[in-house]
Amino acid sequence: MTPDQLISGRIAEAVQNLYRQEAPEAALQLQATRKDFEGDLTAVMFPLLKISRLSPEKTGEAIGEWIREHTPEVESVNVVKGFLNIKLSAAFWLEQLKNIAGTPAFGVQAPSGKTVMVEYSSPNTNKPLHLGHIRNNLLGYSVAQLLEANGHKVIKANLVNDRGIHICKSMLAWQKWGHGEMPQSAGMKGDHLVGKYYVLFDKEYKRQQSELKGQGKTEEEAAKLAPIILEAQEMLRRWEQGDPATVELWKTMNGWVYAGFDETYKQLGVSFDKIYYESNTYLLGKKIVEEGLQKDVFFKKEDGSVWIDLSADGLDQKLLLRADGTSVYMTQDLGTAQQRFGEYPLNELIYVVGNEQDYHFKVLKLILSKLGYPESEVIYHLSYGMVELPEGKMKSREGTVVDADDLVADMINTARDTSMALGKLEHIPAEEQEQLFHMLGLGALKYFILKVDPKKTMLFNPQESIDFNGNTGPFIQYTHARIRSVLRKAEEQGLKAATGAALNEKEVELVKLLGNFPEMVKEAGAAHSPALVANYVYELAKEFNQYYHDVSILKESDEATRAQRLVVLQQIAAVIKTGMGILGIEVPERM
RNA sequence: GGUCCGGUAGCUCAGCUGGAUAGAGCAACAGAUUUCUAAUCUGUAGGUCGCGGGUUCGACUCCCUCCCGGAUCACCA
């Protein structure tokens, strides 16, 4: 039984016995006691005053007294203003520790029988991944881990945007100026190579536009009439007609990009169970259009285009089918959603997509519900804010984009430099050192991004942001390595771990924190927020470091105390490992 | 202009469904190493929680006005 369950049950009984009344659930308010007061849990008396008809102090004293008398686990109580502070006994906390130590995979919830799909990453195949994608990938992967820890079966999905005008731009530029250049010959990752030609296209397109404007065309006309964009559109038409040469080139260049992406995904440590390609799904959704027309949810304009009118819901009219019969983004998404619900019995379908698409997903859900699909309620848009640089937003045309591969390489180098400067890891074999640099560099990056509430815009300063001290990944990784090191030594010395001794004050704090872990995992899962996990693990690591500083483990002469401290250490290490695992961060045995 | 999201210490961020004197880290300053790993720990300093109202025993938290920043309102995806 958790402390909260125990005490709130007792308060309810106390109210029943003292005042002959049922205390409503909402009136039983418990919180952790603030550090400056004596106690473990604090019950707020104000909501109970109506029942007791006494002052807050008197109510607290009466209820406190009753609880103390009737609850062996309660050691003492005190009342400060309207707050009843309750201190639980050492024996109770010891029991908690035993429970934690006796629970395998503590914090991981039992199978829920629910299936959840998390769609994330979903890149375009015309350029390499950048910092914004990193936030997406890390969030998506971590949320998937988090939901798995909540006992759900999770399908990680990636919808690759492999078709459309953007990839034709790269293809066209490569055809024109590539001279057969390939990733191997260029010595570049495939995605970077394709990105290079995308940039070349853009340059030429810009040049042609300004030329046209110089000839008196308007901005809009210039954008539409530039020969190179017409050529790209022509290429897209050929692709859609299945022209063999175009399709061949498309396959080749996409192949390069996939090889490049795979490498980046591997570096980031993210993976997928199911990959969808837009080239296979872009025609989906037309059936839904017909259905919507039949149900009179959609309507057709004179030109043949199909729309839905959402103005009654405070939104606008939304296009679903162009006059030429081709579908748009929304239509495709409706179709793919429907397809997925057919493929899997999904209890939740999560889209990890930036907040610039909040409107899109709002409309998507609304349309599905208007069509009468109950699945609409199961769709969740995990919306995250942009990553900004000190200079402001990332702009590809201004060259301020932070490339994902470069950033990862930088992080690993920083980890190497920092480790070397500290003279750490000298006794570790070179190969393992490299693994550690990777683990630490990525740990720093992942933690830095995931500790921030997803929906907030975050600032990333490449020079200063990523630290290795304080509230960072490496600090937690270090803490874990440190604990494992002590435990290894204990093992070498043949020392046994066992519960049974008295817990000191700091140990009670640690047990309390550990005991909160499962509840925190649930909350974070419900909120789809790895940030809660990150901040929890940091809290635990910090508490541990303070404890570790004050107390000796191996040198402790009392055998029972020493054995129990080893148990505490084991549990902290285990929870750190599980928590960091949810964040997709590996944790070293030594460093 | 409509809608949505944000505004907490110099900087980066926590603060759960309203609860006691608003918390960390970084940066600054002052300390602690014969260590079980100092990538550590302790202390000092740093705040009109964007502004103003309201709701109540109590508001960073809920409601309203306004200010600032961002996103979005495409026959792009």
Side-chain angles (χ1 to χ4, degrees), chain A residues 143-170:
Chain A
V143 165
Q145 296 290 111
L146 179 56
L147 294 170
E148 240 168 58
N150 274 281
H152 309 321
K153 179 179 176 349
V154 178
I155 301 155
K156 290 172 294 194
N158 189 357
L159 174 57
V160 180
N161 188 359
D162 62 343
R163 67 162 284 281
I165 192 73
H166 55 82
I167 179 68
C168 288
K169 289 177 180 176
S170 296

Side-chain angles (χ1 to χ4, degrees), chain A residues 144-331:
Chain A
Q145 296 290 111
L146 179 56
L147 294 170
E148 240 168 58
N150 274 281
H152 309 321
K153 179 179 176 349
V154 178
I155 301 155
K156 290 172 294 194
N158 189 357
L159 174 57
V160 180
N161 188 359
D162 62 343
R163 67 162 284 281
I165 192 73
H166 55 82
I167 179 68
C168 288
K169 289 177 180 176
S170 296
M171 285 158 63
L172 186 64
W174 184 83
Q175 245 179 7
K176 282 182 180 301
W177 309 300
H179 307 293
E181 190 176 44
M182 288 169 54
Q184 294 92 327
S185 61
M188 279 173 99
K189 277 178 79 226
D191 50 337
H192 288 260
L193 183 69
V194 172
K196 174 179 142 186
Y197 287 100
Y198 186 77
V199 171
L200 286 180
F201 174 95
D202 208 48
K203 251 191 201 161
E204 176 60 15
Y205 184 28
K206 287 241 169 62
R207 197 192 61 74
Q208 292 186 1
Q209 285 184 67
S210 58
E211 199 176 280
L212 286 169
K213 271 190 275 184
Q215 294 165 11
K217 304 280 190 213
T218 66
E219 186 118 8
E220 215 170 299
E221 286 169 337
K224 273 188 182 161
L225 295 174
I228 197 162
I229 192 73
L230 295 175
E231 244 184 294
Q233 283 161 354
E234 173 53 30
M235 191 176 231
L236 180 60
R237 267 190 291 279
R238 285 205 305 274
W239 181 88
E240 284 182 355
Q241 287 157 8
D243 171 58
T246 308
V247 169
E248 197 51 44
L249 178 61
W250 172 77
K251 278 187 183 161
T252 304
M253 289 183 71
N254 271 339
W256 297 344
V257 173
Y258 298 148
F261 283 175
D262 282 348
E263 218 174 293
T264 307
Y265 288 146
K266 200 175 162 200
Q267 283 283 306
L268 288 174
V270 305
S271 59
F272 304 94
D273 305 307
K274 177 93 188 173
I275 296 182
Y276 295 94
Y277 296 94
E278 206 197 291
S279 51
N280 295 327
T281 62
Y282 81 108
L283 295 174
L284 292 173
K286 298 202 177 181
K287 242 189 266 171
I288 287 197
V289 172
E290 283 169 32
E291 189 186 331
L293 283 170
Q294 268 172 19
K295 290 183 179 169
D296 266 344
V297 177
F298 302 162
F299 68 93
K300 199 174 260 191
K301 288 194 178 173
E302 319 78 61
D303 64 357
S305 58
V306 177
W307 298 72
I308 183 167
D309 185 0
L310 299 169
S311 49
D313 297 275
L315 305 173
D316 305 295
Q317 293 196 347
K318 186 83 191 169
L319 176 82
L320 293 161
L321 206 62
R322 296 189 185 100
D324 64 6
T326 57
S327 63
V328 292
Y329 179 39
M330 180 60 71
T331 323

Side-chain angles (χ1 to χ4, degrees), chain A residues 16-36:
Chain A
Q16 182 63 248
N17 278 283
L18 292 168
Y19 310 113
R20 303 288 156 204
Q21 272 189 62
E22 201 75 31
E25 192 80 19
L28 302 175
Q29 287 186 24
L30 280 181
Q31 53 189 285
T33 303
R34 290 184 74 101
K35 289 227 152 68
D36 339 289

Side-chain angles (χ1 to χ4, degrees), chain A residues 377-404:
Chain A
E377 300 192 5
V378 159
I379 288 177
Y380 181 81
H381 175 206
L382 176 45
S383 162
Y384 62 90
M386 310 188 143
V387 184
E388 289 186 356
L389 300 171
E391 314 81 60
K393 278 180 231 163
M394 288 193 286
K395 299 246 169 75
S396 42
R397 26 192 156 82
E398 288 163 29
T400 55
V401 180
V402 176
D403 178 77

Side-chain angles (χ1 to χ4, degrees), chain A residues 481-551:
Chain A
R482 205 180 200 192
I483 296 173
R484 296 303 308 169
S485 163
V486 175
L487 290 171
R488 239 186 342 265
K489 282 205 173 133
E491 205 170 323
E492 280 163 19
Q493 294 174 24
L495 302 177
K496 290 275 177 286
T499 50
L503 292 160
N504 70 26
E505 220 170 289
K506 202 72 186 172
E507 281 157 357
V508 169
E509 285 304 314
L510 285 165
V511 170
K512 259 191 239 180
L513 256 179
L514 288 170
N516 290 339
F517 185 55
E519 201 52 39
M520 186 281 302
V521 170
K522 278 192 219 167
E523 265 175 46
H528 304 91
S529 176
L532 293 179
V533 181
N535 287 300
Y536 168 87
V537 176
Y538 170 64
E539 189 67 27
L540 181 62
K542 200 174 60 159
E543 283 288 332
F544 169 77
N545 275 298
Q546 289 168 3
Y547 169 67
Y548 184 77
H549 209 261
D550 293 346
V551 116

